[in-house]
Structures are given as C-alpha cells and as structure tokens.
Amino acid sequence: MSLTLTRTDLIRSANFIAGQWQPGPAGALLPVTDPATGAVVTQVPDSGAAEARAALDAAHAAFPAWRKVPAKQRAAVIKRWNDLVLAHADDLGRLISLEQGKPLVEGKGEVAYAASYIEWFAEEATRMNGEVIPAPVPGRRMFALKEPVGVVAAITPWNFPAAMIARKIAPALAAGCTVVCKPAEDTPLTSLALVLLAHEAGVPPGVLNIVTASREKTPEVVDVWLDDSRVRKITFTGSTPVGKHLARRSADTLKKLSLELGGNAPFIVFEDADIGAAVEGFMAAKFRNGGQTCVCPNRVFVHAQVHDAFATQLAARVGALKVGPASDPASQIGPMINDRAVEKIERHVQDAIAKGAKVLTGGQRLTALGATYYAPTVLTRADATMACACEETFGPVAPLTVFTDEAEVIAAANDTPFGLAAYFYSQDVRRIWRVADALETGIVGINEGALAAEAAPFGGVKESGYGREGSTHGLEDYLHTKYVCQGGLD
Ligand code: SIN
C-alpha cells in the first residue's frame, strides 16, 4: 500500500509564524525520515532562538483580540478545524504512518482520536461558565470569572503526533489562549499539516504558531519561551527528567504547567479474573503503537493460580502478531521510532534474561525487516531487579511476574516513582473497589484495556506529572479564575 498523499501540499517544510510559512535559519535543516526504512521524507527548519522569539511575539500580539472573540465564534472555528481534519483523515493517517511508523489502521485511528478532542473542546468553549457567589455581607455582588491564561507553549511528543497536538491546542484555542508549539523532532510533519488545516479553518494569524527543531536545537527554542514572562503556560508530554527541567525553569516566571510524563503501568491479573478478557485487554493496552505509549502496561503481575493459563494464551496471541511496515496493510506492529528506541528494548530484554527471565516468544530484533524492528516479546519470571521493571521500556515487551497475595501485589504495583495508569482484572466487586482505591495512579482500568477518550481526564500523579488532558478538566488547565467583587449596592 502506498503512503503517498492525495493532497501533497499537506507536507510542509517551513515554520508557521504570524499566519505565514517562514523558512528557518539559512542552511539549518532537519531531515524527517520514515522509521521503516530510514529514507528522508522531507526537511524542515532546524530553528533556533530567533524563530522562537518571532513565534512568541506573534502569539503575544494576537492574544488580546483572540481572547475577545466570543466563545461561540471561537467554537465555530475549532469545529471547522475538526471538520477539515476528518475530511483529510486518509492523508493525515498516511502522514502519521509515514513519519511515525505505526500501521496504517492505527494512523487513521489516531486521526479520529485527535479529531474527537478537537470536537470536544469546540463544544467546551461555550461552557466556560464562572460562578455567582452568594455574598456573605450585604450590598455586594461576588463573581468568579474564567479567563484564558495567555500565551501557551506546547511541546509535543512523537508517539501520537496528531492526538497530542490536538488535546493541547484545541483546549488552548477554546479558552482564548494563543499558542507557540514545538513538535517532536521525529514527527513534525503531522503537526505542520494540522496547523495548515487550522489556518484554513479560520484560526487568525498569530493565534497558532509552530517552529520545528532538532533534538540539539530544541533547548535553544524552549529556553526563549521559558525565560519570557509573556508565556503563561507550558504544556508538555514527554519524559520525567525533561518535565522536571521545565518545572524548575518555569519557576522564575511562575508559569502554569501541565506535565504528562513517564509511566510504569502495572497490569494485574487476579485469580478470579476472566482470563480470556484479561488477555484481550492486555493486547489492546500493550501493543497499541507497538508498545510506544506512556499508558501501556510495563509490568504484568499474574496470580500463581492463573499464571500458566494467562502466559500460554498471551504468548500465542503475541507470537501471531504480524510485524512489518505501515505500507503493508497486514502489519499490526510497525518499526520502532528510531535506533535509540530499539537499543533500549534490546538492553531491557537482555538484562531480564541475564537475571533469570525466560523468553516465551520474541526476544530479539527482526533484522530481516530492517534496523528498527523488534519482535513482540513475552517474558516470564520477571522481577523488580530488572531494568524492564524500573524503567519504561516503550516497546512491545511484556514481562510477567507471579504473585500470590493482594496486599503484596498492590505494594509492588505502587513501588515506583511513577503514577500514570494501572490496570487490573478481577470479577470480585469488593476487591475491585479496594484495589482501585489503593492504586497510586491518575488512571485506573478495571477489566478494560483501552482507556483514553476525549471525555475522560487523562494524566498522572507522583512523577508522572500533573494537569489533565481531555474532559472538562482539560479546558480548566488553560484558564484562571478571577474573583470580582462589586460593593456599595445596598
Ligand atoms: C501517550 O502515550 O502519551 C498518550 C496515550 C493515549 O492518549 O492513550
């Protein structure tokens, strides 16, 4: 199957600043490659401080007018953006698969997922209700009004190049904020195409600006935004160390922050679970995007009574997964994003084997397919000393650990600095609420592996960050509350 786009002008090779496509610094270009082959798709600007500043100047200048646009009109613009995204779903799906590597069915699925956030926040724009507060003394009227925070800097990851942009930018625009955005260096093309469609939908010049940059130049871009008090909020999805850096560097100007950071999700199969359903849920949770999601299970705890049945069924399903490029419609697992990603997976599996884990299926690179492919893998006899239990593997590896006791497994599940998502399977209603209460994560899946939805608050606790994306909370993160009190009314 071809990954060629029908509308080829969706592939942009420039920054978008103040309503214009603009080149970056002379001669500084960042190649964007297809992770399946390493072939260069196109080149985008390798921007620096000058471009970051120009984008910020434009966003700052556009803010007073955009915040005054009535919510219903802002909603109409965002709704048109949603319509254009859906109208170009085939092309956008191909573009996601081309630069990110996920199978085409997932690329197109991501477009629908991204659009669901855009539509949701278009609707939420008209519901930014404040409060009328009963005054505690006579002669006063008291109000809590909702206002946009101001210019937002959005720094987005490579694993969902459409959805992560959508769930940051749509609520920002809905709230009346203006935006400067820096997409991940591996996947800038989807973001640029989405910005083009937002412009076509009627987002005014300066309201949405995007600059691309390499890993090396990104700090130069982001530092401009961190240092400038005109940026009032940073929204970031990515690693915990980078999230901490952004939090530290935002302190001088006390920016608002939404940080969606690393996870180390436990997946627990209790002895009373429906094993078929647990295998099904695990497949959905773990192998979406080849295991390259922050919410995918990283540690699998299976009760001794059901371990062998679960492991056997799981290994059969995982061993049957078809690995290949997005261009092959039969592919279920694509290439990993880059060499570093495969090296990390390989290191984790080798470390686990050296410490006593047993490979039920997979366990090696698929070099015949290319340099970035890794076989979907199930390991048993995993334990807490292994790298795969302490670090996010971010790949198609399922390490299984046996447990015998509920309290012991809850303690093990919570024994991590991270707290994004957790999953468990049980049919005992008392246990269900006991365990859901005890898990230290922002998201809990009970007998369900596919959790994310535009209407749900997505985000973590502990070192997985703070702030929520999606739902009504996802709009709140782009607003502040102004208390207004009128006196002398008696
Ligand atoms: C992520 O991996 O950061 C997001 C996954 C999702 O939206 O489900």
Side-chain angles (χ1 to χ4, degrees):
M1 187 179 292
S2 163
L3 293 180
T4 310
L5 274 58
T6 314
R7 194 179 146 183
T8 49
D9 71 319
L10 284 176
I11 299 188
R12 311 302 298 189
S13 302
N15 292 326
F16 191 72
I17 299 173
Q20 305 289 330
W21 293 101
Q22 300 187 15
L29 290 169
L30 166 66
V32 184
T33 57
D34 174 353
T37 59
V40 175
V41 179
T42 188
Q43 304 195 94
V44 296
D46 193 5
S47 312
E51 292 71 30
R53 206 163 291 115
L56 175 52
D57 290 346
H60 183 250
F63 177 60
W66 180 245
R67 67 171 294 188
K68 286 210 178 84
V69 172
K72 191 169 169 158
Q73 260 170 261
R74 286 201 305 271
V77 172
I78 301 167
K79 180 74 176 50
R80 276 200 299 278
W81 186 28
N82 172 63
D83 294 344
L84 285 174
V85 169
L86 289 175
H88 293 86
D90 283 349
D91 272 349
L92 290 171
R94 286 189 199 108
L95 194 51
I96 292 169
S97 292
L98 187 61
E99 66 173 346
Q100 199 271 321
K102 65 182 58 161
L104 200 48
V105 65
E106 287 196 42
K108 285 193 192 160
E110 187 184 334
V111 179
Y113 181 48
S116 72
Y117 284 97
I118 300 176
E119 183 185 41
W120 171 270
F121 286 113
E123 291 168 352
E124 284 296 290
T126 58
R127 297 182 197 125
M128 291 175 2
N129 305 329
E131 293 159 35
V132 179
I133 302 161
V137 290
R140 284 192 188 173
R141 285 290 161 109
M142 294 164 56
F143 308 89
L145 307 181
K146 296 292 176 184
E147 292 190 334
V149 292
V151 176
V152 172
I155 304 163
T156 61
W158 53 263
N159 60 343
F160 290 90
M164 298 303 109
I165 283 262
R167 71 191 196 191
K168 292 179 183 336
I169 290 180
L173 299 183
C177 299
T178 56
V179 179
V180 291
C181 175
K182 211 295 296 170
E185 65 157 9
D186 290 303
T187 57
L189 300 180
T190 308
S191 326
L192 293 169
L194 287 176
V195 169
L196 170 67
L197 295 177
H199 175 59
E200 290 178 359
V203 173
V207 169
L208 175 54
N209 309 276
I210 184 163
V211 297
T212 55
S214 63
R215 191 174 309 274
E216 294 70 32
K217 292 288 281 297
T218 289
E220 194 179 314
V221 168
V222 174
D223 280 355
V224 168
W225 299 341
L226 284 166
D227 289 339
D228 199 310
S229 62
R230 293 176 297 169
V231 173
R232 295 313 314 144
K233 176 180 171 86
I234 304 267
T235 173
F236 169 71
T237 296
S239 74
T240 294
V242 174
K244 288 181 180 177
H245 168 77
L246 295 175
R248 278 187 211 105
R249 289 281 273 96
S250 296
D252 279 345
T253 50
L254 285 179
K255 300 183 201 308
K256 192 164 175 159
L257 287 158
S258 291
L259 300 174
E260 205 261 86
L261 309 177
N264 185 5
F267 187 104
I268 308 170
V269 185
F270 285 100
E271 68 277 24
D272 54 56
D274 173 337
I275 298 304
V279 170
E280 209 55 52
F282 185 79
M283 295 300 292
K286 176 73 214 183
F287 292 101
R288 175 169 164 244
N289 199 19
Q292 301 175 109
T293 75
C294 331
V295 282
C296 74
N298 203 51
R299 298 169 294 150
V300 194
F301 299 100
V302 192
H303 194 277
Q305 281 174 26
V306 293
H307 176 271
D308 291 356
F310 180 82
T312 307
Q313 286 185 39
L314 183 66
R317 288 288 302 277
V318 174
L321 285 170
K322 169 98 170 69
V323 185
S327 53
D328 178 348
S331 297
Q332 294 169 293
I333 303 283
M336 299 295 104
I337 187 68
N338 53 34
D339 292 340
R340 281 191 314 282
V342 195
E343 280 156 18
K344 183 178 192 191
I345 297 164
E346 194 163 46
R347 175 170 64 79
H348 280 195
V349 172
Q350 289 312 318
D351 169 77
I353 292 170
K355 290 176 179 158
K358 183 171 165 241
V359 179
L360 286 194
T361 185
Q364 78 275 317
R365 286 179 185 246
L366 297 174
T367 41
L369 286 171
T372 44
Y373 290 91
Y374 199 90
T377 298
V378 178
L379 304 172
T380 54
R381 301 184 199 159
D383 67 41
T385 66
M386 297 173 183
C388 62
C390 315
E391 299 170 32
E392 215 176 1
T393 303
F394 234 63
V397 178
L400 273 52
T401 303
V402 182
F403 75 92
T404 50
D405 174 69
E406 182 184 303
E408 160 210 327
V409 79
I410 289 171
N414 289 337
D415 186 18
T416 167
F418 302 102
L420 185 53
Y423 307 77
F424 66 93
Y425 276 70
S426 168
Q427 299 189 84
D428 174 339
V429 72
R430 288 199 186 85
R431 164 175 277 161
I432 281 175
W433 287 105
R434 213 167 44 233
V435 175
D437 285 349
L439 288 169
E440 297 170 354
T441 57
I443 303 170
V444 177
I446 307 168
N447 298 331
E448 180 57 64
L451 307 181
E454 73 281 9
F458 186 105
V461 297
K462 294 160 73 178
E463 295 192 18
S464 291
Y466 38 72
R468 292 294 177 264
E469 294 189 329
S471 81
T472 186
H473 304 280
L475 182 65
E476 195 63 40
D477 273 17
Y478 293 84
L479 298 169
H480 57 228
T481 303
K482 179 183 274 177
Y483 162 50
V484 174
C485 175
Q486 184 178 7
L489 296 175
D490 49 350

